[in-house]
Amino acid sequence: MIQRAVEAIGIPTIGISIVREFTEKVKPPRTVFLKWPFGHPLGEPFNAAQHRTVLLKAFEALYRIETPGEIIDPGLRWRREQYK
Amino acid sequence: MTLSLFESTGRLGRLKNQFIAKMTTRFPGLAQGFIHAYQAVESNDIPWTPVSKPLDESRLVLITTAGVHHPEQPPFDMSDPEGDPSFRQIDAATIGDAYTITHDYYDHTSADKDLNVVLPFERLRELKREGILGDIAERHFSFMGHIDGPHIPTLTTDTARQVARQVKADGNDIALLTPG
């Protein structure tokens, strides 16, 4: 809802979602979805490489999404990825 | 987020909500039914602003619903089971390790240890130093994501629009939104 208001005023937005069904209902303009536990949108504490990967995936989605409401799932598995 | 799973207030009620938040973090399936029950209030028209600048020329603002605030700011209202639609301004330069999270509806143990889990200021500064990101806003915005009932229209017609106007007035080019 907040994302929609910011986009509506003229600022392009990208949101991180960890609850896909909720995002599908609220319909923000652009979303990167992570099937991760609540409270960890960037990942685990002090895992800088993981946070960086999420940010770069979010920026990639910001520039790649051309259809309003699209959700990109980069397929990052919780605690089963190697981050560099 | 509308999760009627949480409906208690008062000291015992808050403990119960915090316990439920820990359980749904560990077992997300527990929250599915409540998310499923959410009735969307949003229209099908999705706002859209094309991205006009490359990332290395863009100034980014963060907006979170993770309930983060400076310790001296008033906490979000945990006594109202329908949540708190207000927001707090976050000063990226001063927040450092001194921050508070007031939010009983998700388990913020990880974000309590490292703010970057919900507000990745350190990672953004690294990307700026590397020339990948153009600039970072000075002020960012924080909400408490558990909003229900009459607070939903307050959020959509008042506080979210206030933040949108400030984000625009600050000269930001892109916004990244993070949940709790």
Side-chain angles (χ1 to χ4, degrees):
Chain A
M1 303 175 201
I2 300 159
Q3 186 176 347
R4 289 169 61 100
V6 175
E7 186 92 17
I9 210 163
I11 307 287
T13 61
I14 178 74
I16 296 173
S17 165
I18 44 181
V19 186
R20 187 175 182 119
E21 189 180 347
F22 190 71
T23 302
E24 285 168 353
K25 289 185 175 183
V26 175
K27 301 184 191 75
R30 300 176 200 80
T31 303
V32 61
F33 168 70
L34 304 166
K35 197 175 179 182
W36 287 3
F38 292 128
H40 302 83
L42 275 294
E44 296 172 88
F46 310 111
N47 191 339
Q50 184 186 33
H51 306 164
R52 181 188 172 95
T53 300
V54 173
L55 281 175
L56 294 176
K57 293 286 182 193
F59 294 142
E60 193 184 316
L62 172 71
Y63 285 88
R64 209 172 97 193
I65 291 174
E66 292 177 351
T67 310
E70 191 175 334
I71 299 171
I72 288 184
D73 180 353
L76 296 173
R77 300 162 301 170
W78 183 244
R79 291 185 176 163
R80 290 167 61 207
E81 303 286 341
Q82 294 290 324
Y83 297 99
K84 292 178 203 166
Chain B
M1 183 186 295
T2 304
L3 292 177
S4 54
L5 183 60
F6 301 99
E7 49 197 23
S8 311
T9 56
R11 191 171 162 274
L12 256 179
R14 284 195 64 185
L15 286 172
K16 181 186 161 203
N17 288 341
Q18 288 162 3
F19 173 74
I20 293 170
K22 281 196 190 300
M23 295 306 287
T24 51
T25 296
R26 191 166 297 177
F27 307 107
L30 287 175
Q32 278 302 320
F34 298 93
I35 292 156
H36 190 66
Y38 172 73
Q39 298 292 318
V41 294
E42 292 77 13
S43 78
N44 284 321
D45 296 329
I46 301 173
W48 187 256
T49 301
V51 188
S52 59
K53 281 188 185 176
L55 191 60
D56 61 5
E57 293 175 20
S58 294
R59 179 182 161 101
L60 178 134
V61 60
L62 286 174
I63 304 168
T64 190
T65 48
V68 179
H69 56 89
H70 293 272
E72 64 274 19
Q73 289 172 325
F76 291 99
D77 182 3
M78 289 296 129
S79 66
D80 184 340
E82 296 182 312
D84 179 345
S86 68
F87 64 89
R88 310 285 179 271
Q89 286 187 26
I90 303 294
D91 179 354
T94 64
I95 195 152
D97 290 329
Y99 60 93
T100 303
I101 298 178
T102 305
H103 199 319
D104 292 349
Y105 305 99
Y106 79 98
D107 180 2
H108 43 81
T109 309
S110 293
D112 288 336
K113 292 178 190 161
D114 180 6
L115 182 62
N116 293 292
V117 166
V118 291
L119 284 176
F121 290 128
E122 287 182 63
R123 299 294 90 75
L124 292 174
R125 287 187 198 111
E126 290 158 10
L127 293 175
K128 183 182 168 183
R129 277 199 297 274
E130 293 171 42
I132 295 170
L133 175 67
D135 202 2
I136 306 161
E138 287 167 16
R139 63 172 174 174
H140 304 261
F141 299 89
S142 178
F143 288 83
M144 194 281 278
H146 177 91
I147 313 285
D148 203 355
H151 297 321
I152 292 178
T154 305
L155 178 75
T156 55
T157 64
D158 182 10
T159 50
R161 287 185 188 175
Q162 280 184 50
V163 165
R165 285 193 293 272
Q166 292 183 27
V167 161
K168 180 94 175 160
D170 288 349
N172 295 298
D173 300 300
I174 49 176
L176 172 65
L177 290 94
T178 63

